[in-house]
Amino acid sequence: MAKQLSRREMLKLMAAGSAAVVGSPLMNAVAESAGKPPAQDVIEISYWQAPIWRLGKDVKTVLGPGSDEWILDAIARFEAENAGIKVNMELIPWDQWSQKLATAFASGDLPNVLYSNLAADRVQAGLFEPVDDYVTQEMNDDWLPGMRESLTMFGRLYAVPAFPSADMAALSKTALESHGGAGIFEAIGEDRGGLTFDVMEEYGKEFGDGATRFFFGVPTDHGSVVYWMYGAWLNGWGVKSWSDDEERWIVHEQDAAVEAFQWLVDAQNESKVLIPNLPKWSDVDTFYWSQNCVMRYHWPSIEVELAVAQEAGQAVTPFEIVLTAYPHTEEVGPFHTNQPPGHYTICREPDTAKREAAFKWAFWLGNDTSNTLSWVADVGVFPVNKSGVAAIADSEIMQNPNKRWVVDTYLQKFPGGFAGGNWQPLNNARTAKIWNQLDPWNWYIQELQSLLLGQKLPLEMLEEMAARINGALGTA
Amino acid sequence: MAQSKTPYSMAADVQQVRSRREPPTPLGRIRDEIRRSNKWAYLFITPLLLDFLIFTVYMVISVVALAFQEIYYGQSEWVGLRHFEWIFKDPQFWNAMKNTLIYTIIVVPGGILLALILSEFIFRRSQRVQVFYKSAYYLPSVVSTAILALVWSWIYNPFYGILNFFLSIFGVEPVSWLTNPKNAMLSIILMSIISGVGVSVVFLTAAMGGIPPELHDAAKIDGAGNWARFWSVTVPLLRPTLLYLFVVGFISNFQVFEQIYIMTQGGPGYPGATETVGYLIYSSAFTSLNLGLAAAQSVVLFFAILVFSVIQFRVFASEVEY
């Protein structure tokens, strides 16, 4: 006869079961560590990275967005050179990047090395370690002018520069030659600094048909609206976004800002040089790759993206891109956006050995000349130091006219625009915190949509934005 | 020896019986329940119970606690009702609540009505045809909402979408389905109704199978036509199923997020034409890192759903026979 379980026996059984569930991973861990040699000589560091590489480790084979082949190879090379350090990378897809960082910043549970994300409020909250102590005179002297200064806050260097984050306008030469408007290249001049709003309109009308072909594409579903349409676009009209102490948003106080946004509305409705109907990023991609749009804002990595699109049969071949300075008025003249360079932050870490190892990895990745060619070819960005520039000066890729123009003209001859790309309160911790809590990455997009939909006039939009931002800051 | 006789007391008897039948304390009741029931059952429900306690009860309590705090970069500060004060005077939140209500009020009854009509047609067909249609309608339910939203985004694309292509054949100008504030919410509602109808069809056809055929036969003998039998026999007997679909549909649709996130990001325009409370909570938490505010918005959403669910039970349940 089956024995009935008593209550006590049942509770014992449940307790034993629960203990087994909880204890088994612990026992596994103990067993695993017992079988290994002592690990005190190896310093393990965690490293979070967005998938910015698209090519294989040969820096030629097209593998597509999110490829990890190159970075895995780089980690292996670094670990071979630095036997005492192990890099544990987490390559986080772009669609999970913001959620991952949001929860990590909220909890303060961050990796040792983090791609990008330096901000004054985060520095003030003690999330990042200053790295000045690890920077030697030699490193310092090797960095290109402005790199160190852009990442210095409250008098200390808080990130390791990895690449100048140049963004610009990209014209499709092939499309202009096919459908009209190629005269624009003569109009903007040899230094590619003559792209004014009037030039855009004139050649835009020549290229477009107002129904299927449009000169300019602005992705209206993407966070890039914040830094391109409220940063670079306004900069081109001479509109400064923040007061000097960054305690106020001042765009609405400048007549040129109204003019800047009215130009966009008219470009959509009147001259029809702007893609209408609130195109998404993917729509602008489709227009651009199929030669139905010739200008967009982008990073120089657009040439790598073109290779990926051609490989996938999404872009026509041949396809020639000409990078130029952002559009601007005659008075403002050509400028580069003055964005802080791409960088790595070293997150709060009590263990000094780990901190040092983290810096070593971050510096090696962005500054070692063995990696320079990859950054240029694979990611489309440029060296952060003089030795990097020299290392690739004679390489095949640097014979590309766009690359040469960025290095020789855009970054060196054109002045920088308003600080921080003209969109973010870069150096004021209080303002940065409050502004971020206003959800600009969604809200700015919706405001631009309202404008292009005709729901609001430019001044109405700007005053509404000012009331919300400055109201939250207490400086309305 | 003479036996001492105590007078009979009925009240004492009742007390004795009651004390045997009803354990006096809640703990005693639990003890009695354990003694009485199958003990193995507790072992088997333990994993799910733990899951419920940790991932539901604990999480809900944490969210409520979070609603009264400001969480920033690993530090927390009690801020009392500050987040709730902000919510109640924030036009963006009330716009989101309005959008959520419009979405739910159209999607839930609209979806159930469509499912009811389809079920009535399907149920009259042969078994084989029924299986085919039920599978066809149910298929979108096994696909993730994210994929469906992506596919519908392509269908609705103003430049290359197949819907505008078909309309152009009839000379209709391209329509801005998702980029015109007047059309955007309706386009998402249409997608949600069409994609979600399968589940209701399966429930309703199963419930129709449980209706005794004699009732229909009797109605037929009384001269009732198809419509009269559907309206006066089928629909009343489907009430328990309809109530379930209403309540569950209301709760899930009130939390709509995926299609908004993928198709419109709450836009177009500001305040967002399709911004729902679910999407606003996501934005507050993950793009502006304001976890306390997001938690407070979640608490308000919870109470809104609770109130509407209670109302539905009050309105419908009194007439439902289980």
Side-chain angles (χ1 to χ4, degrees):
Chain A
M1 206 173 97
K3 184 179 175 270
Q4 288 270 326
L5 269 180
S6 70
R7 180 170 60 96
R8 189 169 293 276
E9 281 170 333
M10 189 194 73
L11 290 172
K12 275 183 186 169
L13 205 63
M14 283 169 68
S18 305
V21 168
V22 174
S24 60
L26 202 65
M27 292 303 288
N28 281 345
V30 171
E32 273 177 26
S33 64
K36 283 181 182 171
Q40 68 267 29
D41 293 331
V42 176
I43 300 166
E44 292 200 23
I45 55 168
S46 52
Y47 158 52
W48 288 1
Q49 175 66 54
I52 55 177
W53 292 279
R54 292 167 171 81
L55 305 182
K57 65 180 176 186
D58 59 358
V59 200
K60 280 185 181 163
T61 311
V62 174
L63 294 175
S67 163
D68 62 357
E69 194 178 289
W70 184 86
I71 185 66
L72 289 176
D73 181 63
I75 290 172
R77 285 188 286 118
F78 173 77
E79 287 177 349
E81 287 173 30
N82 298 272
I85 303 174
K86 182 169 176 3
V87 178
N88 296 317
M89 180 185 68
E90 205 174 323
L91 196 63
I92 301 158
W94 278 118
D95 58 355
Q96 293 164 29
W97 181 251
S98 62
Q99 288 99 318
K100 177 91 175 174
L101 290 193
T103 45
F105 279 128
S107 64
D109 188 13
L110 290 156
N112 296 117
V113 178
L114 175 65
Y115 172 66
S116 203
N117 282 286
L118 181 66
D121 52 333
R122 291 171 189 160
V123 168
Q124 202 177 54
L127 294 186
F128 300 136
E129 300 284 354
V131 295
D132 320 62
D133 296 344
Y134 306 113
V135 176
T136 63
Q137 190 61 45
E138 193 188 346
M139 292 172 183
N140 202 46
D141 293 345
D142 195 27
W143 276 327
L144 292 173
M147 294 298 126
R148 182 181 178 126
E149 292 73 13
S150 303
L151 302 173
T152 297
M153 286 180 174
F154 312 114
R156 301 204 69 181
L157 179 64
Y158 273 97
V160 185
F163 54 86
S165 186
D167 47 329
M168 62 235 2
L171 292 172
S172 164
K173 190 176 180 191
T174 313
L176 283 160
E177 284 174 347
S178 304
H179 301 293
I184 196 170
F185 295 110
E186 200 176 319
I188 63 175
E190 262 186 44
D191 68 353
R192 310 181 189 181
L195 184 64
T196 63
F197 298 107
D198 293 339
V199 166
M200 274 176 76
E201 191 174 343
E202 182 186 343
Y203 291 95
K205 283 179 185 165
E206 224 174 280
F207 168 80
D209 62 5
T212 58
R213 277 202 314 274
F214 303 91
F215 184 80
F216 187 31
V218 175
T220 55
D221 68 327
H222 194 262
S224 59
V225 158
V226 177
Y227 44 84
W228 284 336
M229 302 321 293
Y230 290 88
W233 183 260
L234 288 176
N235 201 140
W237 290 88
V239 176
K240 188 181 174 192
S241 292
W242 292 94
S243 62
D244 287 334
D245 59 7
E246 296 182 342
E247 287 283 344
R248 276 172 59 73
W249 193 75
I250 54 172
V251 174
H252 62 299
E253 294 166 0
Q254 299 160 77
D255 292 343
V258 174
E259 211 181 330
F261 285 112
Q262 189 59 52
W263 193 98
L264 268 185
V265 175
D266 293 343
Q268 178 194 248
N269 301 337
E270 308 295 328
S271 60
K272 298 192 186 299
V273 298
L274 181 76
I275 302 177
N277 272 324
L278 307 183
K280 296 182 173 201
W281 182 282
S282 56
D283 294 325
V284 174
D285 267 353
T286 309
F287 270 87
Y288 196 79
W289 297 142
S290 61
Q291 304 202 348
N292 287 316
C293 154
V294 289
M295 180 177 147
R296 63 187 302 183
Y297 283 6
H298 216 286
W299 301 271
S301 62
I302 191 168
E303 293 190 302
V304 189
E305 286 184 18
L306 171 63
V308 175
Q310 285 176 323
E311 192 82 6
Q314 292 166 350
V316 297
T317 309
F319 196 123
E320 193 179 343
I321 289 172
V322 173
L323 302 177
T324 76
Y326 280 114
H328 49 80
T329 60
E330 292 283 357
E331 298 74 45
V332 172
F335 63 96
H336 69 78
T337 50
N338 207 9
Q339 304 261 26
H343 55 270
Y344 288 102
T345 41
I346 310 301
C347 302
R348 183 170 51 200
E349 170 60 61
D351 184 339
T352 49
K354 270 198 172 192
R355 280 209 304 265
E356 196 171 344
F359 174 81
K360 207 177 250 189
W361 161 244
F363 185 83
W364 182 88
L365 183 61
N367 294 266
D368 194 276
T369 51
S370 67
N371 299 324
T372 308
L373 191 61
S374 165
W375 284 101
V376 179
D378 195 347
V379 188
V381 295
F382 296 91
V384 78
N385 48 17
K386 294 166 198 157
S387 55
V389 173
I392 57 162
D394 298 327
S395 66
E396 191 186 327
I397 192 151
M398 285 312 289
Q399 307 318 308
N400 175 322
N402 280 328
K403 299 274 186 288
R404 284 251 63 91
W405 173 78
V406 174
V407 173
D408 296 342
T409 307
Y410 185 61
L411 292 175
Q412 295 201 48
K413 292 191 179 155
F414 296 163
F418 296 119
N422 197 34
W423 54 276
Q424 55 190 329
L426 195 65
N427 294 310
N428 186 317
R430 174 181 167 271
T431 304
K433 179 185 169 189
I434 293 171
W435 183 72
N436 269 315
Q437 287 193 331
L438 293 174
D439 192 12
W441 300 100
N442 276 312
W443 171 49
Y444 275 40
I445 290 172
Q446 292 181 346
E447 288 285 6
L448 186 76
Q449 289 175 343
S450 281
L451 178 83
L452 294 173
L453 286 164
Q455 292 176 322
K456 284 168 201 160
L457 295 171
L459 188 59
E460 282 175 323
M461 177 191 78
L462 295 173
E463 285 181 343
E464 183 176 83
M465 293 178 75
R468 192 168 161 94
I469 296 171
N470 295 336
L473 288 167
T475 54
Chain B
M1 209 168 99
Q3 280 185 330
S4 61
K5 278 197 170 180
T6 49
Y8 174 74
S9 159
M10 194 171 147
D13 247 14
V14 169
Q15 184 60 38
Q16 202 182 350
V17 171
R18 273 197 184 146
S19 68
R20 270 208 306 269
R21 280 188 187 159
E22 291 173 22
T25 60
L27 199 67
R29 274 195 212 110
I30 293 171
R31 239 193 327 258
D32 187 49
E33 168 64 18
I34 290 173
R35 221 181 353 254
R36 193 180 56 76
S37 64
N38 185 341
K39 295 172 184 68
W40 280 101
Y42 287 97
L43 185 67
F44 290 130
I45 64 170
T46 300
L48 213 59
L49 186 68
L50 286 175
D51 172 84
F52 174 72
L53 291 174
I54 296 168
F55 294 106
T56 305
V57 176
Y58 173 71
M59 291 297 171
V60 168
I61 292 168
S62 299
V63 166
V64 173
L66 207 59
F68 299 96
Q69 297 173 66
E70 171 103 83
I71 304 285
Y72 214 68
Y73 298 154
Q75 291 161 356
S76 70
E77 180 197 344
W78 285 93
V79 294
L81 293 169
R82 197 166 77 193
H83 295 312
F84 291 97
E85 281 167 23
W86 170 269
I87 287 170
F88 287 114
K89 60 183 185 190
D90 180 19
Q92 197 178 7
F93 180 82
W94 292 110
N95 171 66
M97 187 57 94
K98 182 195 81 187
N99 289 339
T100 308
L101 264 175
I102 291 172
Y103 175 86
T104 309
I105 284 171
I106 300 178
V107 167
V108 178
I112 291 174
L113 183 67
L114 180 64
L116 196 60
I117 295 166
L118 290 172
S119 301
E120 175 63 11
F121 284 122
I122 291 170
F123 194 67
R124 290 158 183 262
R125 307 279 90 81
S126 70
Q127 196 63 29
R128 189 180 291 182
V129 175
Q130 272 194 45
V131 169
F132 170 77
Y133 277 109
K134 277 191 228 174
S135 309
Y137 287 126
Y138 195 74
L139 205 57
S141 308
V142 299
V143 179
S144 81
T145 311
I147 302 289
L148 282 175
L150 211 56
V151 171
W152 276 89
S153 296
W154 293 331
I155 292 172
Y156 283 142
N157 187 295
F159 309 107
Y160 313 104
I162 197 165
L163 195 53
N164 276 353
F165 169 75
F166 282 127
L167 290 176
S168 71
I169 295 172
F170 302 102
V172 179
E173 288 289 307
V175 179
S176 304
W177 296 104
L178 295 173
T179 53
N180 183 332
K182 287 178 189 152
N183 302 335
M185 183 53 96
L186 283 175
S187 302
I188 292 179
I189 285 171
L190 183 70
M191 172 241 162
S192 298
I193 289 178
I194 293 177
S195 311
V197 77
V199 177
S200 303
V201 166
V202 169
F203 270 94
L204 289 171
T205 47
M208 283 174 177
I211 297 173
E214 296 82 20
L215 296 176
H216 281 281
D217 294 341
K220 238 187 232 176
I221 291 165
D222 288 343
N226 284 342
W227 168 251
R229 271 183 282 130
F230 172 70
W231 187 246
S232 305
V233 178
T234 307
V235 172
L237 291 168
L238 288 177
R239 267 197 193 138
T241 311
L242 291 173
L243 173 67
Y244 171 80
L245 291 174
F246 262 102
V247 174
V248 171
F250 197 91
I251 292 170
S252 63
N253 283 290
F254 221 84
Q255 300 170 59
V256 60
F257 169 72
E258 291 104 318
Q259 41 274 68
I260 307 295
Y261 176 67
I262 291 167
M263 296 170 83
T264 58
Q265 290 91 44
Y270 179 82
T274 62
E275 193 161 60
T276 58
V277 180
Y279 183 76
L280 195 63
I281 291 169
Y282 169 83
S283 303
S284 302
F286 294 113
T287 60
S288 56
L289 305 184
N290 204 336
L291 291 181
L293 179 65
Q297 288 166 336
S298 304
V299 170
V300 175
L301 178 66
F302 167 77
F303 280 108
I305 292 174
L306 186 71
V307 167
F308 280 103
S309 299
V310 169
I311 291 171
Q312 283 183 93
F313 268 108
R314 286 277 158 95
V315 171
F316 294 113
S318 59
E319 295 179 29
V320 169
E321 288 174 23
Y322 292 96

